Amino acid sequence: MVLLLMMTGFLNSAFSQRLADTALFSMNRDQLGVYFQTKARKQNTLGWIMLDAGLVGLVITSAYSIGALNSDNEDLFRGVLAVSSASIAGGVAAFISSANNKGKAEMLLRKPARAEGPEVEPGPGDHLPAQA
């Protein structure tokens, strides 16, 4: 139970938004790209930690189910199985979120190709530096 509460607190702090909504709107393209890149890296690390913890729990419960571990506390192993399964599911969700944020970062950090022809002025939503 304590482990479940610790994991919930960790997930809450890992996925919580640390910037005010107005701070995201005031960032330029490069700053937003770095923000999403950092967020993706942290979520990827979290995904690996949760996936590994879940797999360790599954190995422990598998060893119990085949009789390699002798214990009279069957409820403990059922709890470990439930937490391990939830940890694996959370790790997969963290990987999916990480991939989405990585895609956003790559899109924002990509330098636009210089087009042949007349110079085009950026629109009001574009935060591109003026080309020389």
Side-chain angles (χ1 to χ4, degrees):
M1 186 64 167
V2 173
L3 179 64
L4 182 62
L5 289 174
M6 287 175 46
M7 286 177 56
T8 304
F10 180 70
L11 288 174
N12 187 27
S13 66
F15 287 113
S16 64
Q17 191 73 355
R18 289 182 179 79
L19 295 174
D21 291 338
T22 56
L24 287 176
F25 292 120
S26 66
M27 290 182 173
N28 65 22
R29 242 180 120 96
D30 291 333
Q31 290 171 331
L32 271 175
V34 169
Y35 168 74
F36 283 118
Q37 194 174 40
T38 304
K39 190 172 182 179
R41 242 184 286 129
K42 288 181 180 181
Q43 288 173 336
N44 193 21
T45 302
L46 175 69
W48 280 114
I49 291 170
M50 291 182 70
L51 182 68
D52 291 342
L55 290 176
V56 167
L58 287 180
V59 167
I60 290 171
T61 54
S62 297
Y64 172 74
S65 67
I66 62 172
L69 295 176
N70 295 327
S71 176
D72 294 333
N73 195 351
E74 188 173 322
D75 291 336
L76 172 69
F77 289 102
R78 286 184 183 163
V80 170
L81 178 63
V83 171
S84 298
S85 301
S87 179
I88 290 173
V92 170
F95 283 133
I96 292 170
S97 182
S98 172
N100 287 336
N101 286 323
K102 184 178 179 183
K104 289 178 189 177
E106 288 175 353
M107 181 186 66
L108 289 168
L109 293 174
R110 183 180 313 136
K111 300 296 180 200
R114 185 168 169 93
E116 296 295 326
E119 192 72 26
V120 178
E121 292 292 321
D126 294 334
H127 300 289
L128 298 175
Q131 295 185 6

